[in-house]
Amino acid sequence: MKLKEIIKSTAVLLSREDVISFIEKGYSENSDITKKDLLTFTWSANFVINELSSYAPIERWERRVVTNEKIEFDTLNNSLLSVKEILDLDGRKVYYKTFSDYVKIKNGTYDFFYYCLPSNISLEDEIIYTEKEMPNRIICYGIAREICIIEGRFDEANEWQKKFEESLLKSVKPKRLKNVTIKERAFY
């Protein structure tokens, strides 16, 4: 989904008809104010998406042909956060060594799985999360929270924060806790 659709949904939540009109028609009575507001919404969206990446790391993969025993991080399509794994074309994990700006690996063709950082996006860009990875409503709640904080509406910001946290806890399950069972304990 494009960022402008997320911002439009957030503007609906906040009853910001001026922002909705500006996105749909490109103008309003107070265009200068609305442009500034739209920049604030865009900044808030990028802030929230970045924040969400710490709760739900963004996983990507790329097929790489290695000819110089390196996969350089600056050649990846996204900004690398960490390497998840590297597999050969038969799906077997391969040995590699990580350095500050590349991975050393034997020459060959590999599927390179990694976690990435979100880049700042503008209105016409697609957000990095799919609806399955991170429901859009969570992003909208986070943006609404930020807008309310910026505008000094702290009680309302607190309400959006609660919705943000509750939705996030329901939607994002940490993988490391997936198969963990906590045993009952007795205290005497």
Side-chain angles (χ1 to χ4, degrees):
M1 176 176 273
K2 289 190 175 189
L3 180 60
K4 73 178 181 180
E5 294 303 318
I6 297 283
I7 289 175
K8 186 176 169 184
S9 297
T10 305
V12 169
L13 292 174
L14 295 172
S15 301
R16 291 292 304 270
E17 296 299 325
D18 57 335
V19 174
I20 296 166
S21 176
F22 193 84
I23 289 173
E24 289 177 348
K25 301 174 188 165
Y27 65 90
S28 71
E29 311 80 51
N30 299 316
S31 282
D32 289 339
I33 294 170
T34 308
K35 284 179 188 174
K36 183 180 176 190
D37 290 340
L38 203 53
L39 287 172
T40 303
F41 271 78
T42 303
W43 178 88
S44 297
N46 281 303
F47 178 84
V48 169
I49 291 168
N50 202 352
E51 176 186 5
L52 288 170
S53 71
S54 65
Y55 300 112
I58 303 160
E59 184 180 325
R60 295 293 179 257
W61 77 272
E62 297 178 27
R63 180 151 291 163
R64 289 300 176 129
V65 177
V66 178
T67 56
N68 61 352
E69 296 187 344
K70 286 184 186 181
I71 298 174
E72 296 184 26
F73 300 149
D74 62 359
T75 64
L76 298 172
N77 293 330
N78 300 287
S79 298
L80 180 89
L81 179 61
S82 65
V83 177
K84 181 181 179 192
E85 64 184 354
I86 302 175
L87 305 176
D88 64 17
L89 295 180
D90 294 325
R92 294 183 303 246
K93 290 184 180 184
V94 295
Y95 174 79
Y96 61 91
K97 187 170 182 181
T98 306
F99 293 88
S100 62
D101 55 350
Y102 67 94
V103 167
K104 184 170 177 61
I105 192 167
K106 291 181 182 178
N107 290 338
T109 303
Y110 301 102
D111 288 333
F112 185 76
F113 293 84
Y114 62 101
Y115 297 106
C116 67
L117 296 169
S119 342
N120 283 340
I121 58 174
S122 60
L123 288 177
E124 295 300 324
D125 294 331
E126 295 285 326
I127 62 169
I128 197 162
Y129 286 111
T130 64
E131 177 69 19
K132 185 179 177 185
E133 292 172 322
M134 182 61 62
N136 295 331
R137 73 180 175 344
I138 296 174
I139 299 170
C140 291
Y141 293 159
I143 297 169
R145 172 199 66 201
E146 291 304 312
I147 294 298
C148 289
I149 290 170
I150 290 167
E151 294 176 351
R153 300 177 355 223
F154 301 114
D155 290 338
E156 193 176 345
N158 192 40
E159 293 303 314
W160 289 118
Q161 175 64 16
K162 287 177 188 172
K163 288 183 180 188
F164 177 79
E165 287 175 354
E166 289 169 3
S167 297
L168 188 60
L169 286 172
K170 288 178 186 173
S171 297
V172 179
K173 308 276 190 248
K175 291 179 183 174
R176 67 182 181 275
L177 298 178
K178 188 176 179 181
N179 297 319
V180 173
T181 344
I182 300 173
K183 295 179 181 180
E184 284 189 55
R185 295 176 64 187
F187 298 95
Y188 301 100

